[in-house]
């Protein structure tokens, strides 16, 4: 696997693949790779000739009081995992390489939907995501880019600017990968103590309860939200950030739910903020 650290290196690598007639799949990550990321890599391998992963903890998408410094960084372990699944190249730049002196251009998706869910809680977050993802897609000359459903709102934002700015790339959303006990895989799970990890199961449990109620005929959004909140509130270590049910992918307010809508939650377990979601099935 090639390790690319500069813009020049990735541009040269991507151009060579294109000149050889290959399609390129990009999987942007912030590292601390887990099974969720590796599923994205496998999906990219199935769908494109050459897979470029990026490992970059993007400073621009973190707020001043967020976990940029604490975010787990384990590049060597990440490389071993990427080699294992057959990724062709990894791009691992320094922040100063991505944002050199004079950098002053940002991609800002302005739709109402960006102010909901994590966008409401984390001002500036999606501006940082949209900016770095645009740059990564351009550098990698990606034909297809792969993102996890766990960050469903992020996928909505990326699809929006890709369409609005006519960027010639296909965006693939890959379903959430869970541990056997239901916990959605996340790099931030590494922050949890064993007791907190147990408490964190309340996220998927509460969503499953509401999904089951929906399947049995409960469609009132307020009732479904209450089922989720009641379950989370039973867990002493959990504090709700938001519990929402919206249409998907538009993320508009709804009163009654139908298949395809999304139930999305953010919950603090101790100091760790976790997100999870379920797209309702009929
Ligand atoms: O989902 C993430 O890990 C990040 O937001 C992404 C897409 C790699 C951009 O930094």
């Amino acid at each position: 696997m090639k390790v690319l650290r500069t813009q020049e290196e990735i541009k040269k690598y991507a151009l060579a693949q294109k000149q050889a007639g290959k399609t390129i799949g990009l999987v942007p990550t912030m590292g601390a790779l887990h099974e969720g990321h590796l599923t994205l890599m496998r999906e990219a391998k199935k769908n494109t000739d050459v897979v470029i992963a990026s490992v970059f903890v993007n400073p621009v998408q973190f707020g001043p009081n967020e976990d940029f410094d604490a975010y787990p960084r384990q590049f060597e372990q990440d490389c071993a995992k990427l080699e294992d699944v057959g990724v062709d190249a990894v791009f691992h730049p320094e922040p100063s390489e991505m944002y050199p002196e004079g950098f002053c251009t940002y991609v800002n998706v302005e739709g109402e939907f960006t102010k909901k869910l994590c966008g409401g809680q984390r001002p500036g977050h999606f501006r940082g995501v949209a900016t770095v993802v645009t740059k990564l897609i351009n550098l990698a000359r990606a034909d297809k880019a792969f993102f996890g459903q766990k960050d469903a709102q992020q996928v909505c934002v990326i699809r929006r600017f890709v369409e609005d700015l006519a960027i010639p790339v296909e965006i693939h959303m890959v379903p959430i990968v869970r541990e056997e006990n239901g916990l959605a895989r996340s790099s931030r799970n590494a922050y949890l103590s064993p007791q907190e990890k147990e408490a964190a199961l309340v996220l998927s449990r509460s969503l499953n309860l509401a999904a089951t109620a929906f399947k049995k005929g409960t469609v009132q959004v307020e009732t479904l939200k209450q089922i989720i909140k009641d379950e989370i509130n039973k867990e002493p270590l959990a504090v709700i950030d938001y519990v929402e049910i919206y249409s998907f992918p538009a993320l508009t307010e709804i009163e009654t739910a139908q298949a395809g809508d999304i139930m999305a939650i953010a919950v603090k377990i101790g100091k760790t903020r976790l997100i999870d979601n379920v797209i309702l099935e009929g």
Side-chain angles (χ1 to χ4, degrees):
M1 184 178 68
K2 279 233 172 251
V3 178
L4 312 165
R5 292 183 188 271
T6 65
Q7 296 197 47
E8 273 327 295
E9 282 169 5
I10 185 171
K11 278 186 194 164
K12 210 168 137 193
Y13 179 82
L15 182 61
Q17 304 311 317
K18 286 275 133 168
Q19 284 171 339
K22 305 269 169 77
T23 55
I24 298 178
L26 170 71
V27 186
T29 82
M30 298 204 300
L33 302 180
H34 51 69
E35 201 42 44
H37 296 113
L38 301 180
T39 303
L40 297 178
M41 308 293 162
R42 290 189 197 101
E43 202 55 28
K45 273 191 78 68
K46 266 192 248 158
N47 285 278
T48 51
D49 300 324
V50 172
V51 176
I52 303 180
S54 63
V55 171
F56 178 60
V57 185
N58 175 32
V60 178
Q61 71 187 69
F62 288 80
N65 299 319
E66 293 184 357
D67 57 344
F68 174 70
D69 289 329
Y71 201 85
R73 288 160 173 87
Q74 43 190 55
F75 185 58
E76 274 175 30
Q77 284 154 266
D78 288 344
C79 281
K81 292 177 186 169
L82 292 174
E83 293 240 37
D84 255 13
V85 292
V87 164
D88 299 282
V90 59
F91 179 49
H92 183 50
E94 289 296 322
S96 58
E97 180 65 25
M98 288 296 274
Y99 302 110
E101 222 183 292
F103 184 99
C104 59
T105 304
Y106 294 86
V107 178
N108 197 25
V109 180
E110 293 182 354
E112 272 308 299
F113 75 96
T114 64
K115 300 186 184 111
K116 296 172 176 167
L117 306 175
C118 291
Q121 306 280 323
R122 304 181 68 188
H125 171 66
F126 286 125
R127 173 180 182 260
V129 169
T131 302
V132 80
V133 171
T134 303
K135 188 155 183 171
L136 291 168
I137 288 170
N138 287 338
L139 287 168
R141 292 175 176 253
D143 296 286
K144 300 180 185 185
F146 298 79
F147 299 89
Q149 183 197 315
K150 192 165 88 56
D151 297 301
Q153 189 180 17
Q154 168 169 281
V155 179
C156 299
V157 168
I158 292 168
R159 288 207 165 126
R160 187 74 253 166
F161 77 73
V162 160
E163 185 175 334
D164 289 351
L165 302 179
I167 301 177
V169 65
E170 233 175 68
I171 302 300
H172 289 236
M173 183 173 85
V174 179
I176 297 179
V177 178
R178 298 180 181 280
E179 293 184 10
E180 258 169 41
N181 58 20
L183 182 65
R185 302 269 182 175
S186 163
S187 304
R188 290 191 169 95
N189 293 349
Y191 299 149
L192 301 170
S193 69
Q195 195 197 359
E196 288 173 337
K197 209 164 176 200
E198 194 60 34
L201 300 183
V202 76
L203 278 87
S204 56
R205 192 166 64 239
S206 64
L207 287 168
N208 284 340
L209 281 172
T212 305
F214 173 75
K215 275 195 182 144
K216 288 186 179 157
T218 306
V219 292
Q220 288 308 313
V221 160
E222 281 316 313
T223 312
L224 292 169
K225 278 164 61 168
Q226 203 53 52
I227 291 172
I228 298 172
K229 287 180 189 169
D230 287 346
E231 187 62 21
I232 298 173
N233 286 334
K234 283 187 207 156
E235 170 49 64
L237 293 183
V239 177
I240 295 174
D241 233 1
Y242 62 71
V243 170
E244 297 293 354
I245 302 178
Y246 290 133
S247 71
F248 186 77
L251 302 183
T252 50
E253 313 276 341
I254 47 173
E255 280 177 18
T256 53
Q258 56 182 14
D261 293 337
I262 191 165
M263 306 190 290
I265 63 178
V267 177
K268 270 203 168 144
I269 304 288
K271 286 190 177 140
T272 307
R273 182 177 178 278
L274 299 174
I275 58 172
D276 199 351
N277 68 71
V278 162
I279 295 178
L280 287 167
E281 288 171 17

